[in-house]
């Protein structure tokens, strides 16, 4: 995952606008879905051919062409040329490691987004680039895999007289963004759950490798942040371009998405601070633990080393050691040792070590 | 509490504007209170029916409808439709995990606030979402529980010719916000008290788990901050929309609330820095404590280990050890040991360990 | 001191504009001083009655009413009503835990400031709220105690044709602010001195509780900062309201005060970073100290434990231990021990432990 | 490398505009390459003489003069004078330790950039200053060495009807910048690889000097950041100067470069946070390791020191020690010791030390 | 040095505009240098009298009066009065602990700068306040000592038709600033050198007091920063006041100085981060060192304490210890000890402690 960020290098040196697909081929064949709809009609063609898709958008309907699978560079180039899309945009669609962004062109808006999924195998995020181009009467969307992310929209369209059918391509674009952002909340909940598990372990002081766990979670949060921060700018860009391509009605809904991105960012920042503070708790309990260990050692050593010294004195073999011959010498020494031990224990108790 | 933040997910996938109540049902039946007042008249109807509330606001009076309990989605939908409120606003009222925000619509302003209480059982904050919609001559307010937060306003209204009765719905909105913010000061005092207790323990160095306590308080402060930061923007938004829905007179009072939010934020930041610094004190005393423990161990070991070695030498059983037969051998060895001990002690004293 | 910040709560629930004095009663009776002056005349009346003070300001003179002691709420209410001051301003004068602020009203400017003193008993700051209201031809000032802070101004006025006499109430306001800010420099010098004492102790490594000392100083600095940061905004506010109530001449002098607040803030930030860095030095010397202690223990233990083991071998009572009967056995063992000790010492020297 | 940053001092004291080359002479002779091209024609003259280069730019062609090697101050001075370049610009070209910057003059734009390479010997970056001056119909570029950085452009030009040939000098400038930025991605990948190697070692806890490695990488990242941050401003400057020297067409491409610099900055920030977090993991495992070591010591010492004390008691030589004569004394003592050891081990197990 | 920052207090309580010199008297007599020049003429009068200096600036020449030594308050007051300088400016010239600043007055600009030198005795910076006042046709400059900082300008003037002679007082002001900033680069190089020395010691792990050294350098950098940050604003202020007192020509040169201050600030920030990271390396090697020490202690103790216990068993004097009478008892015990030691060593090796 981590080296996905700086993959652009494979085309370093080529002139700008060179069309090269930089992701992994995740689908055998690209799938095109052509949907032409308005409040009255709805004609979805799944597995459409390229030729079917090269339609002219009309004033009264919305033409939505969705492409799953990006490795057929030629197909995508012909499709975008048909809609007069700038070569740099086509390049950005194919280069799947984009930072989320919105770019305004004369007749259309280009959005590059990152959908997030959770890969249960690598225990990490799974990003998929979603590119959206929309203008008056048409919307092109591109994704790497055939994930069922957008199937819900087809359902909504099919169901009939919803707000979606009545509005234009800008509302469709909003709906796509809304679905992607909704997905983020699910990831956020997962992350929150993971954090609580680690938190419980740290509070109970049973996780020796807490620092490593916290590190892993933080790295995931950085990846999340990398996606969500620019997204806010994207939505803000759309909000500000109010009037031309984005209608006032859609603008109100976009404001809602904007609030959601802010809410996600707030939560991520909160998680981040929380992880930092958890690390402090962990480090402090490591030191506490060492204090505990050292205290045991010190008590034992301080108690027995002087006593052993005394008994070693009377273990010496000097010929003239008068105490050795005393009748009460042995019990006297034992008594002395006992008194010393008691004094030591009282000292420890006063120091609050016992 | 903590997963309240990312609860929106339960409706992920539904079309926007779908009305679903995402909180817990905290009241058996929703209670409606209809109050129509101006400087001259005041007619409160507690436990009003929905039909009673579907009145048309007049120019000369202020109509205040207060709803406690949000789980009757249908009731709230009908009420808001009557006042021509946008579906997204109704959705936000029902979704009780909103970030505080202010949204301007053509004929009304929508405020989403979070009232804070202290839950003595979970030892944590207790947030309750308060939604306020106000326009010319009317104000709708919604809260989850039937807490007596707004009973004070009824009292003020009942008491007669106060500023509240003479002004319009914008002043009523201000009064509601002011009551919520006043509540924050109480929480702040509680937090301040808790911090001082922990501080005293840390300064006296008797709290082994100080890091954990500090962590807990910090988490609470983050929750507080999450509520207060956006509130500042909300009040600022109201201040800037001066003239249309908010009169100049009310604006001066709102400036006062704004100052209070700044003051709360300042205090929270101060608390935050203070907790960070307290952690430093705690960590430093942990290390100090270990130094103390190690010093005791080192003194004892350094004093007795060499002495024990000497006595162990004269405990050896070699046949030819001339010293053993000396008459003064035993006292001489004792003297040597004494001198060694004294030298050691002087060394420790010079090192400032004693 | 610390809970002074969130004292507003005692009036939580009361309607805004309720006049309640939230400070401590520091004076038996409030003292009013009425001074009417211009370049030609100067009439100070100390211990004026309220009735004397209810004068009408004239175009050609400056009327300065100074009130020491705020607990007579009624007196202050009548005075401010006479000058048509907004009830919220009167509330702010009485509530002595304000954040420094400037508020512009139609005919006057309201400034709330905090004078700092050093309380030698509590070893902490001593804040006193100074409220200033000034308009064309008049200035009202309020302070909690009868500290001689403003006696200097009376002296300057008495002395005759100074700039103070020639200018209007805005210049008088500037002079009051200037005196308060000058006081801050004295506190800053005290703080600087305290920091240097702690610094010397930390550098000399003789302060075991340095972390606690640094904590205490930092807390004081936070209090200072809480006063000085908003003050900068206050002065900036005055500078920007150039023209109407503040003349260009006074503006140039205010710019000077502004520079001083910046200078104080810079110094506080510098102190802050310095304290942080001093903590690092302290923590590092704690660890150094422990290394030192551990080194002594390790050297002694590593030197004598093996030697003691050897002598304990020859202290065993086996009947058949041929070495015991050797004539040179004893000196040979002593020699072996000596060689072992020398090797150990060489090892320590190579490790730079000796 | 590090003192390259503050080398300007060698000319401290000279009047501004004094032309002194402050870098190292990296080439024997400066090489001039003159290229005059438009969509139809392309005339490259490698190893051109200065006289050949002193041409007058025409309206219909783009004149590109590229200089490799900067130590011939006179040559560069004459060249820039011919194109009416301000003396300060010429000074900046020769002073090879500039911060990347863009400066607008009446008829031309001056860009100072830093190309990065990786020096495999010093294990550090290798910066080379690239200066670009472009105006209507001409572009001058200067670099210290004859690195093949710009050879690719010659190839593109030679290849014929590319976008490069059809556009003017602003597009050529863009292409130069794009090549430099592409180079950064390669460095970024190298850095990312190095970080992962250190990360793996830290996670596996086998790198004792991880702190030092992290320090080294961080230093390199600071150098990178020093180049990339001002670059963003440079590109932004170009974008904003849209219309005059930079055409709208080129602006779209520059926006692409701008996105790349943002992406690089994001990645660097991410790396930075990651390194900080890795340090935390490292420090925590150092403490963990010490806990481990101390635990072993404590277990052994706590187990055997008391036992040794008991046996030393019965090693004393008192004449009257009744236990010594008991027949079962020896096995009884061994049994006592065994019981003590078992109790100790159970204690350790309960403490989770075993 | 450190208390220089808050010295203003000595005049606390005096009315603003009171002229008191707050620095140390560093020169016996103030020296005045009067220079009147334009492109054609150049008349320097060193050791001019005050009367000679009270000239009227003309349209065609630039009059430069330079004052070394500030303790003659009266002389400076008369000089500034002659040029109609505001009393606050004169106060700022005499108060030698100003923060660098630029202030615009009707007919002149006032700049207060801090020249830095390195005091080899106190091992610290040596600041000297330089005040510059310039208007149409005249420039007054003031410095505390007679350092040869500005002698270079006299040389440049004497040399004839330079840019300096052809331009007006604003260019002279630029030249003065440029010389001061050039000086900073020298200091920066010194600082850089010091940092590298400490860095090498820390990397080689031979500096026990690295934390203290880093602290000292950081303090110096704070002082540097305190001078350079406001300087940037000063230069920026001059740049923005383009047109009136500062000509466009000089503006281009000032932009160059502005770039230099940015470059210095960048380097300081870089140094700062580097020192922080060096501290991390140092703290981590302290802990590493302790691990090393503890490991030696643990190995020795763990190896010999059990062995000593065994031999102490056979040192007991019980009458019935059958092993003692065995013929192979002694070698058997030695063998057991050897096996135990080997097992221990293998354990340590597996733990990577050896």
């Amino acid at each position: 995952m981590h080296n996905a960020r700086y993959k652009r290098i494979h085309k370093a040196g080529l002139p700008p606008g060179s069309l090269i697909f930089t992701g992994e081929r995740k689908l055998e064949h690209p799938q095109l879905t052509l949907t032409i709809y308005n409040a009255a009609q709805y004609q979805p063609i799944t597995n459409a051919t390229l030729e079917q898709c090269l339609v002219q958008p009309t004033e009264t309907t919305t033409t939505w062409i969705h492409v799953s699978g990006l490795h057929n560079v030629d197909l995508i180039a012909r499709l975008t040329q048909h809609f007069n899309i700038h070569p740099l945009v086509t390049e950005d669609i194919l280069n799947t490691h984009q930072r989320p962004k919105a770019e305004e062109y004369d007749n259309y808006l280009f959005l590059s987004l990152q959908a997030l999924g959770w890969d249960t195998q690598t225990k990490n995020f799974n990003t998929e680039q979603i590119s959206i181009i929309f203008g008056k009467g048409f919307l092109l969307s591109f994704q790497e895999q055939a994930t069922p992310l957008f199937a819900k929209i087809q359902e909504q369209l099919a169901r009939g007289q919803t707000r979606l059918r009545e509005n234009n391509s800008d509302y469709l674009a909003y709906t796509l963004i809304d679905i992607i952002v909704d997905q983020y909340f699910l990831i956020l909940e997962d992350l929150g759950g993971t954090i609580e598990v680690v938190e419980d372990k740290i509070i109970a002081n049973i996780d020796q490798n807490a620092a490593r766990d916290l590190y892993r979670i933080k790295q995931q949060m950085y990846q999340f942040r990398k996606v969500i921060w620019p997204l806010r700018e994207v939505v803000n860009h759309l909000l500000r371009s109010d009037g031309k391509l984005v209608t006032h009605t859609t603008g109100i809904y976009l404001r809602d998405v904007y609030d959601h991105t802010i809410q996600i960012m707030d939560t991520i920042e909160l998680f981040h601070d929380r992880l930092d503070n958890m690390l402090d708790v962990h480090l402090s309990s490591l030191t506490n633990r060492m204090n505990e260990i050292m205290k045991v050692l010190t008590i034992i050593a301080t108690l027995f080393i002087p006593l052993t010294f005394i008994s070693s004195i009377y273990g010496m073999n000097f010929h003239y050691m008068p105490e050795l011959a005393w009748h009460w010498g042995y019990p006297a020494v034992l008594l002395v040792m006992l008194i010393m031990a008691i004094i030591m224990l009282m000292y420890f108790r006063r120091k609050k070590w016992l």
Side-chain angles (χ1 to χ4, degrees), chain A:
Chain A
M1 172 65 215
H2 36 69
N3 49 7
R5 182 85 330 225
Y6 33 92
K7 269 276 180 56
R8 191 189 179 260
I9 48 152
H10 293 309
K11 60 177 291 280
L14 291 180
S18 308
L19 300 183
I20 290 184
F21 173 54
T22 64
E24 299 164 52
R25 176 194 279 241
K26 294 176 179 164
L27 267 185
E28 198 57 34
H29 295 291
Q31 291 168 14
L32 284 87
T33 311
L34 170 68
T35 318
I36 296 174
Y37 69 88
N38 60 15
Q41 74 181 102
Y42 166 62
Q43 304 175 341
I45 308 177
T46 47
N47 291 313
T49 61
L50 177 59
E51 283 66 33
Q52 284 177 299
C53 292
L54 299 181
V55 294
Q56 205 58 34
T58 66
E59 291 250 325
T60 54
T61 60
T62 302
T63 305
W64 173 25
I65 301 166
H66 180 71
V67 182
S68 296
L70 302 178
H71 56 279
N72 190 339
V73 171
D74 186 55
L75 182 146
I76 289 158
R78 284 177 60 198
L79 185 64
T80 51
Q81 273 160 20
H82 174 77
F83 286 93
N84 283 317
I85 307 302
H86 195 283
L88 277 176
V89 168
T90 314
E91 191 188 341
D92 283 347
I93 291 169
L94 291 169
N95 182 345
T96 56
H97 304 297
Q98 292 294 319
R99 198 173 178 270
K101 65 176 174 181
E103 280 180 353
E104 222 169 327
Y105 288 86
D106 288 342
N107 300 315
Y108 58 91
L109 263 157
F110 168 57
L111 309 178
S112 181
L113 304 171
Q114 297 281 339
L116 284 183
W118 180 260
D119 190 325
T120 46
Q121 281 174 315
T122 63
K123 294 266 177 202
N124 218 327
F125 293 124
N126 195 341
T127 63
E128 187 188 20
Q129 179 161 312
I130 312 287
S131 307
I132 296 171
I133 296 165
F134 72 95
K136 279 269 171 276
F138 73 97
L139 186 144
L140 313 180
S141 57
F142 302 85
Q143 70 175 131
E144 290 174 70
Q145 288 171 286
T147 48
L149 213 55
F150 295 152
K152 293 167 201 152
I153 297 179
Q154 290 288 357
E155 280 174 44
Q156 284 187 39
L157 283 171
R159 232 179 293 142
Q161 301 289 341
T162 60
R163 228 178 334 248
L164 187 54
R165 285 274 285 278
E166 287 156 15
N167 280 286
N168 208 310
S169 64
D170 58 336
Y171 192 87
L172 177 58
Y174 150 71
T175 313
L176 292 170
I177 298 169
D178 191 50
I179 281 176
I180 292 168
V181 172
D182 268 358
Q183 206 74 0
Y184 292 169
F185 277 95
L186 283 164
I187 306 267
L188 210 58
E189 192 178 34
D190 276 2
L191 257 181
T194 314
I195 288 171
E196 265 157 59
V197 169
V198 176
E199 187 182 37
D200 288 347
K201 283 203 277 181
I202 285 173
I203 294 293
N205 200 4
I206 55 170
D207 186 358
Q208 291 293 83
N209 290 321
R212 232 165 288 175
D213 292 346
L214 294 173
Y215 174 71
R216 195 174 40 77
I217 299 173
K218 262 190 196 168
Q219 286 313 108
Q220 289 171 358
M221 250 156 51
Y222 286 140
Q223 288 176 30
F224 204 162
R225 196 149 71 174
K226 225 167 48 185
V227 166
I228 196 79
W229 273 46
L231 178 65
R232 194 190 49 160
E233 294 166 37
V234 167
V235 178
N236 202 23
H237 193 113
L238 289 178
L239 276 172
R240 273 180 290 114
S241 76
D242 209 346
K244 229 180 86 184
L245 284 173
V246 179
T247 62
H248 182 63
T249 315
T250 307
I252 288 174
Y253 285 91
L254 277 171
R255 204 165 62 175
D256 199 48
V257 171
Y258 187 76
D259 283 351
H260 293 158
T261 62
I262 298 280
Q263 198 170 336
I264 292 171
M265 281 168 65
D266 275 9
T267 309
I268 290 179
E269 288 316 299
L270 207 75
F271 280 173
H272 197 268
D273 287 341
R274 198 168 161 190
L275 291 172
D276 272 347
N277 292 330
M278 278 159 73
L279 186 69
D280 286 337
V281 173
H282 173 59
L283 289 177
S284 137
S285 41
L286 279 187
T287 314
N288 256 328
R289 200 176 169 78
M290 195 178 308
N291 273 356
E292 209 53 42
I293 293 171
M294 293 306 303
K295 231 165 22 191
V296 170
L297 175 61
T298 303
I299 289 170
I300 293 290
T302 310
L303 211 59
F304 288 104
I305 287 179
L307 302 184
T308 306
F309 165 64
I310 289 174
S311 61
S312 79
I313 283 181
Y314 294 104
M316 291 193 294
N317 297 320
F318 284 102
H319 298 179
Y320 307 100
M321 293 177 69
E323 300 98 319
L324 295 184
W326 294 350
H327 195 275
W328 295 107
Y330 177 51
V333 160
L334 287 186
L335 191 69
V336 165
M337 286 176 175
L338 189 68
I339 292 168
M340 279 178 67
I342 288 169
I343 290 173
M344 281 291 176
L345 289 172
M346 281 166 62
Y347 172 79
F348 292 146
R349 183 160 293 266
R350 223 194 50 205
K351 283 237 166 193
K352 297 252 168 70
W353 291 3
L354 282 177

